[in-house]
Amino acid sequence: GSTAPAPFGGGGSTAPAPFGGGGAPFGGGVFGGSSSASTPAPAAGGFVPSAGGGGGGFSMPAASGGGFTFGGGGGGAPAPAFGAANSGVFKLENVSLLKEGDADPIVAALQRGGISRLVLRGAPVDYDENPTMRAAGAAELVEALRSAAGQLREVVFEGHRFEPRSIVASLLGALRGSTALEVLDFTNSSLGPEGAPVEVGSCEKLRELKLEDCELGGDGCEAVARALSGLTSLEVLDLRNNDMDDSAECVALLAEALRGNARLKKVALDEDLDVEALREALREAGVEAALHLGEDDDEDDDEDD
């Protein structure tokens, strides 16, 4: 004879109202929509990546009445790429700049401003045959670097093969005299002796210069050593795997260039070199422990991953 109790939160015959009241779901017809919406937003209103390549991001487009966005507003330039251009960092993997327009996402990010750390890692290629940068693809990047040089504190061109190698001179020329640059990294890139970054001597705040496996040879290493003379801000130098033993003078030149620099934390060279002159110079500065020979067991160069 008794009747079953009504569902929790309900009346007797009608379904309970959605959370937030009214006849529409929370926030309107869809999450992020207008509170007055009575019909669902189009299917395109879901969580989608926004366009723009390296300069894009993720967005949650709002319904007609507004709503939430993630990674950018509803209009204007796209937001920085999620995980690639946040907090002043623009990082791009598998970079291949072979033709005009290939550098557009990088150029756009630099032109928007606010980038202090630029990390461009080359695409995995047959290193002996295929380049990751050609002149046509790199031309606009050079100009963007020149315009942004005053804000870039770290520039990484890791794992690149340049064709022709004169591209390197153009990239470095764009950074010449920078008063902001603190870290320059060309690890595992085909600089060659003619691409030795002698421009670093004009970058008064440079703290780290990483040139491991850059095909510098004895002549290129000598050029680097001469450029470092008087650069008292330097803390880290890596010249491993560059056939430095082709030069009888290189270690002596390094010793003179680094003499008196008590800020040095790491000077990495190949273990088969006669480094006594350099060791003595570091000892005089009280930083003999900065000398590292051969491969490290505890590489710490992946801080940006």
Side-chain angles (χ1 to χ4, degrees):
S2 60
T3 58
F8 177 75
S13 57
T14 58
F19 178 74
F26 172 67
V30 293
F31 178 74
S34 168
S35 61
S36 62
S38 58
T39 58
F47 181 65
V48 295
S50 62
F58 290 97
S59 63
M60 187 176 291
S64 59
F68 296 93
T69 60
F70 177 65
F82 182 71
N86 298 303
S87 301
V89 179
F90 184 92
K91 182 168 70 171
L92 198 60
E93 308 284 342
N94 300 320
V95 173
S96 181
L97 308 182
L98 304 181
K99 62 185 185 300
E100 186 176 347
D102 283 352
D104 284 355
I106 308 168
V107 171
L110 291 173
Q111 288 178 340
R112 282 196 298 268
I115 303 298
S116 61
R117 187 167 180 248
L118 178 67
V119 180
L120 304 178
R121 293 196 172 100
V125 297
D126 183 336
Y127 195 72
D128 293 327
E129 297 181 10
N130 300 311
T132 59
M133 271 197 214
R134 287 197 171 115
E140 291 182 349
L141 174 59
V142 170
E143 293 307 311
L145 278 177
R146 183 173 288 111
S147 298
Q151 66 185 20
L152 288 171
R153 294 190 295 105
E154 179 174 354
V155 176
V156 176
F157 290 106
E158 184 179 321
H160 285 280
R161 183 171 183 269
F162 304 97
E163 188 179 283
R165 283 179 169 173
S166 59
I167 296 172
V168 180
S170 299
L171 293 171
L172 291 169
L175 299 171
R176 182 184 291 113
S178 170
T179 56
L181 189 64
E182 298 179 14
V183 178
L184 182 62
D185 187 348
F186 274 96
T187 297
N188 194 32
S189 294
S190 64
L191 301 187
E194 66 274 28
V198 296
E199 289 81 1
V200 298
S202 65
C203 300
E204 59 187 30
K205 291 184 179 179
L206 191 72
R207 296 185 296 103
E208 300 185 15
L209 179 60
K210 299 178 180 180
L211 301 173
E212 180 183 5
D213 199 9
C214 286
E215 303 178 6
L216 292 173
D219 290 343
C221 290
E222 284 186 16
V224 171
R226 291 189 177 95
L228 296 178
S229 181
L231 194 62
T232 57
S233 58
L234 193 68
E235 298 176 4
V236 175
L237 173 65
D238 193 343
L239 284 172
R240 292 173 295 174
N241 301 320
N242 280 297
D243 295 322
M244 189 187 293
D245 53 358
D246 291 346
S247 167
E249 299 181 43
C250 193
V251 173
L253 289 171
L254 269 179
E256 287 306 308
L258 302 179
R259 190 179 301 280
N261 185 351
R263 299 184 61 174
L264 287 168
K265 297 177 180 177
K266 182 176 181 178
V267 179
L269 304 176
D270 293 331
E271 59 186 347
D272 57 349
L273 296 171
D274 180 359
V275 296
E276 286 311 306
L278 176 58
R279 190 186 301 276
E280 179 59 29
L282 298 180
R283 184 182 299 121
E284 291 175 3
V287 290
E288 183 180 357
L291 185 60
H292 292 249
L293 301 178
E295 300 299 321
D296 289 340
D297 294 329
D298 55 345
E299 289 284 355
D300 59 355
D301 295 338
D302 295 325
E303 298 171 337
D304 52 278
D305 290 334

